Amino acid sequence: MDLSVVIPIKDERDNLAPLHERLRQALQPLGLSYEILFVDDGSTDGSFAALEEIARGDPHVKAVRLRRNFGQSAALQAGIDWSCGDVLVTMDGDLQNDPADIPRLLDKLAEGYDAVLGLRARRQDHLLIRKIPSLLGNWLIRKVTGVPIKDMGCTLRALRRDLAEGLPLYGEMHRFVPVLAQQYGGRLAQIPVRHHPRTAGKTKYGLTRTFRVVLDLITVKFLHSYLTRPMHVMGLAGLVSIGLGMLCLLATILMKKWLGGPFMTGNPLFYFSVLLELAGVQFLSLGLLGEVLTRTYFESQGKHAYTVRTTLNLESRPERRAA
């Protein structure tokens, strides 16, 4: 199959019929074999019944119903797993993404990119609740990860299957698809897409997700930069802590000798130096444990610390060499 449109939904019953009609109008003229795959992430408003009605009239429409609400990342992963297309287009089911932009995404993808991401032009969302937090979050993610994509949160995107299947989608990593795609080695592009106000249903986002984004960003940064070398971050923290502890101990000795201060055991600076030394040892120990866990992770599961785009004159992948 040429194309799979993957749409995670949660309580979007009133949006499904008009969304299906807009998708049909956008996809039929392309002349591609396609499927529209809805993933019902635990809806309780009758969304799946609406999908059943739509699917009876259109064989291109397929649906996966999860047993409960697992979150958008899990629903997106389910859509990738159950889809068949060589190219995957993902989008929300709230009618804010415009299916008419899909042909433009595919045209850009055909230029040799692995993923084409949408950039919401003239975004139709609440200024204080959605737009400002999004601008700040996008700026922070760009600074921390170095990924230049301006709109990380736009769910309208086109990806080649090999890239989509390589994305580690768990927890709430759907927010970092552009970052994960670049870390995987994908060639990315971003184009402006239309954005419409929500007319039915309720938004699933709020200000509270801003704090979760920061925590997830720390995870993404660590996994990208230090997964294969945890001692570099833990060991550095340990050496800094030990160094500061030695400086505090030296300061304690000098204060006693030159200023006639209290005995070392009566000086708070001495106890602080001991605390820093112990913290440094703990950081180094965590780094060593991290190195052991990293080795176990890669060796026990036969995983590689790299990904291959293509090969020449090679029929099979090499066997993992025992360390």
Side-chain angles (χ1 to χ4, degrees):
M1 185 171 294
D2 297 321
L3 176 65
S4 294
V5 181
V6 177
I7 310 171
I9 64 163
K10 173 68 167 69
D11 296 333
E12 299 287 0
R13 179 190 59 193
D14 296 333
N15 290 321
L16 296 176
L19 175 58
H20 167 251
E21 179 60 24
R22 296 182 190 181
L23 282 167
R24 188 184 62 81
Q25 294 175 1
L27 298 177
Q28 282 187 348
L30 297 178
L32 303 174
S33 58
Y34 71 90
E35 64 180 355
I36 303 172
L37 179 60
F38 291 93
V39 181
D40 184 358
D41 187 24
S43 296
T44 58
D45 68 340
S47 291
F48 193 75
L51 289 176
E52 290 178 321
E53 180 67 24
I54 295 171
R56 278 194 289 268
D58 186 352
H60 294 101
V61 175
K62 304 175 183 179
V64 174
R65 188 180 191 182
L66 304 185
R67 289 184 177 272
R68 62 173 177 83
N69 178 238
F70 287 90
Q72 190 169 350
S73 291
L76 182 58
Q77 183 64 67
I80 295 172
D81 293 340
W82 286 85
S83 63
C84 301
D86 295 330
V87 173
L88 281 74
V89 170
T90 67
M91 62 185 302
D92 280 337
D94 55 10
L95 289 179
Q96 291 195 272
N97 298 140
D98 197 328
D101 288 318
I102 293 178
R104 297 176 53 242
L105 294 174
L106 299 179
D107 289 342
K108 191 68 176 178
L109 193 72
E111 296 180 10
Y113 294 101
D114 297 307
V116 179
L117 313 166
L119 170 63
R120 289 167 288 188
R122 295 184 294 276
R123 185 174 172 182
Q124 303 296 311
D125 277 325
H126 193 282
L127 179 64
L128 294 178
I129 297 178
R130 297 290 300 277
K131 295 175 73 172
I132 292 180
S134 179
L135 287 172
L136 294 176
N138 284 323
W139 175 84
L140 180 61
I141 294 172
R142 288 197 302 272
K143 290 297 182 181
V144 172
T145 65
V147 178
I149 299 301
K150 295 182 179 180
D151 189 355
M152 301 283 180
C154 182
T155 55
L156 182 58
R157 56 179 79 97
L159 307 95
R160 300 193 185 277
R161 170 161 292 280
D162 61 334
L163 175 62
E165 290 180 341
L167 299 180
L169 294 174
Y170 54 87
E172 296 190 3
M173 290 294 111
H174 64 276
R175 300 191 184 101
F176 300 97
V177 166
V179 178
L180 299 175
Q182 179 161 304
Q183 291 176 356
Y184 189 79
R187 293 163 292 190
L188 311 183
Q190 190 169 46
I191 64 173
V193 295
R194 283 161 284 197
H195 193 251
H196 303 292
R198 176 184 274 273
T199 57
K202 295 181 179 179
T203 181
K204 314 303 186 299
Y205 303 100
L207 287 174
T208 55
R209 76 168 184 159
T210 304
F211 303 103
R212 299 197 297 270
V213 169
V214 174
L215 296 175
D216 289 335
L217 179 59
I218 295 173
T219 301
V220 169
K221 178 61 177 177
F222 178 81
L223 292 178
H224 173 54
S225 300
Y226 301 105
L227 176 62
T228 58
R229 47 193 180 98
M231 181 56 103
H232 284 198
V233 62
M234 294 298 181
L236 178 61
L239 292 177
V240 170
S241 182
I242 291 175
L244 291 176
M246 295 179 65
L247 289 177
C248 289
L249 179 61
L250 179 61
T252 302
I253 296 174
L254 293 177
M255 289 174 62
K256 172 64 178 177
K257 181 177 181 180
W258 292 342
L259 302 179
F263 186 66
M264 291 174 61
T265 55
N267 192 326
L269 196 59
F270 172 74
Y271 292 106
F272 186 56
S273 68
V274 173
L275 176 63
L276 289 173
E277 295 294 328
L278 291 175
V281 172
Q282 288 182 329
F283 276 123
L284 289 173
S285 300
L286 286 174
L288 291 173
L289 289 175
E291 293 287 341
V292 173
L293 290 174
T294 298
R295 186 181 183 88
T296 302
Y297 172 77
F298 285 105
E299 294 293 338
S300 65
Q301 302 183 53
K303 290 182 177 293
H304 294 269
Y306 60 87
T307 58
V308 176
R309 184 182 300 277
T310 187
T311 62
L312 291 174
N313 298 326
L314 292 174
E315 296 181 357
S316 62
R317 61 188 297 179
E319 296 293 334
R320 287 286 285 147
R321 179 176 59 86

